[in-house]
Amino acid sequence: QEALRTLAESGYEPESGEQELAQARTLMEQSGILKEAMYANDVTMRNVPFLVEVCCRTPDGRYLPVYSSSRGSEPEEWEAPLSQEWIHALEQRSGKFLWTIYHSGSNEYIRLSKVVYDMNDYSRIIGIISLDLSYVHIAQNVLNPLRQQYGIETAIVDRGNRQIIGYYTIRLSREEIFDYMDGNPVLVHNGKDCFFAFQLDNTDYYLTGLKSLDLVRTTYLKTCLMLMAGAGGTLVLGLFLTMILSHRIMEPVVQLSQTMKEV
């Protein structure tokens, strides 16, 4: 708040506002949250590292980069992908989070961003803060384990904007994915695969998956065999324990009976 308000009130210009920029950056880096975010690899959500970026809003409505946990320390060394369409959509969210997908070089990112209002005047926007999740890290920590452990081909789909990230990891075309998503949530693809789509809470994103029905049947049969084996083992163990307990209970009675006969 203090850092963004400093820049917003100064009307910061990159060429003439180096002092304001340095002051704002110092204030931000003293923040506990952003101090941890100085090294992106150390900041994770369930083992998925994310990047932090902050922009300030000038009095004329422009957004200028102030802080990034992943790029150069000087604003001219990095350029945040701030399209006018994205800014307009973000400002229309009235402080709510906006989920978007963007490309930077050869990498795909999911960006979670929101505007920052001046706590002294909630009608005034003073900046934007964003968290960027790399698709590579999401794939490594979430999607690849699903494929390796459960044989599920997965992709993340932005149904609202009709975008897909990681679509090359699933044996379906973009058209097929959206055709299936616009129909029933669980469908059989070509009689060989099972397609499903699960919505992520509070987003337009869906985790879509494709799994071979042969693998489903194999898993089902293995599960049935394991249950049957477990039930059989439990039955045998129960009979064995019953025999032991019966013998231990009856042995003293038989001995007592034999002693009474002798007497």
Side-chain angles (χ1 to χ4, degrees), residues 103-227:
H103 294 76
S104 179
S106 59
N107 295 324
E108 292 177 294
Y109 292 88
I110 293 179
R111 164 167 283 183
L112 173 61
S113 52
K114 72 186 303 292
V115 296
V116 180
Y117 289 96
D118 188 345
M119 289 190 298
N120 298 328
D121 180 6
Y122 278 100
S123 65
R124 178 189 181 199
I125 298 174
I126 58 175
I128 295 174
I129 184 168
S130 300
L131 303 181
D132 298 0
L133 298 169
S134 168
Y135 172 74
V136 172
H137 292 124
I138 296 175
Q140 289 176 348
N141 292 277
V142 180
L143 304 185
N144 289 347
L146 289 176
R147 175 191 290 269
Q148 296 168 1
Q149 298 178 22
Y150 305 104
I152 302 176
E153 301 175 15
T154 57
I156 295 178
V157 178
D158 180 359
R159 191 173 183 179
N161 294 319
R162 313 292 282 188
Q163 296 187 69
I164 303 175
I165 66 172
Y167 70 91
Y168 45 82
T169 62
I170 192 169
R171 290 178 290 107
L172 291 176
S173 66
R174 291 175 179 268
E175 292 74 19
E176 287 177 317
I177 289 177
F178 284 112
D179 284 345
Y180 284 150
M181 291 189 65
D182 292 339
N184 297 320
V186 179
L187 298 171
V188 176
H189 172 66
N190 293 336
K192 297 180 179 180
D193 302 293
C194 178
F195 175 81
F196 65 88
F198 176 77
Q199 185 175 10
L200 307 181
D201 292 343
N202 302 316
T203 74
D204 290 328
Y205 290 96
Y206 286 76
L207 176 64
T208 62
L210 190 71
K211 183 165 183 173
S212 168
L213 288 178
D214 290 336
L215 289 176
V216 174
R217 295 189 188 98
T218 301
T219 303
Y220 173 73
L221 290 175
K222 286 183 178 179
T223 303
C224 289
L225 290 174
M226 291 176 63
L227 289 174

Side-chain angles (χ1 to χ4, degrees), residues 3-56:
L4 289 175
R5 193 182 299 113
T6 297
L7 288 178
E9 292 174 352
S10 67
Y12 164 69
E13 294 289 344
E15 295 80 9
S16 60
E18 292 299 327
Q19 183 176 355
E20 289 85 354
L21 176 63
Q23 181 182 358
R25 183 178 292 121
T26 299
L27 290 170
M28 288 186 182
E29 292 177 357
Q30 289 174 351
S31 166
I33 297 175
L34 289 179
K35 197 170 184 179
E36 293 179 4
M38 286 292 292
Y39 302 98
N41 291 334
D42 295 335
V43 185
T44 62
M45 289 189 296
R46 297 182 181 178
N47 297 325
V48 180
F50 63 90
L51 311 177
V52 180
E53 294 182 347
V54 180
C55 295
C56 73

Side-chain angles (χ1 to χ4, degrees), residues 90 93-98 113-115:
L90 184 58
R93 297 288 291 172
S94 301
K96 297 180 181 178
F97 288 102
L98 175 67
S113 52
K114 72 186 303 292
V115 296

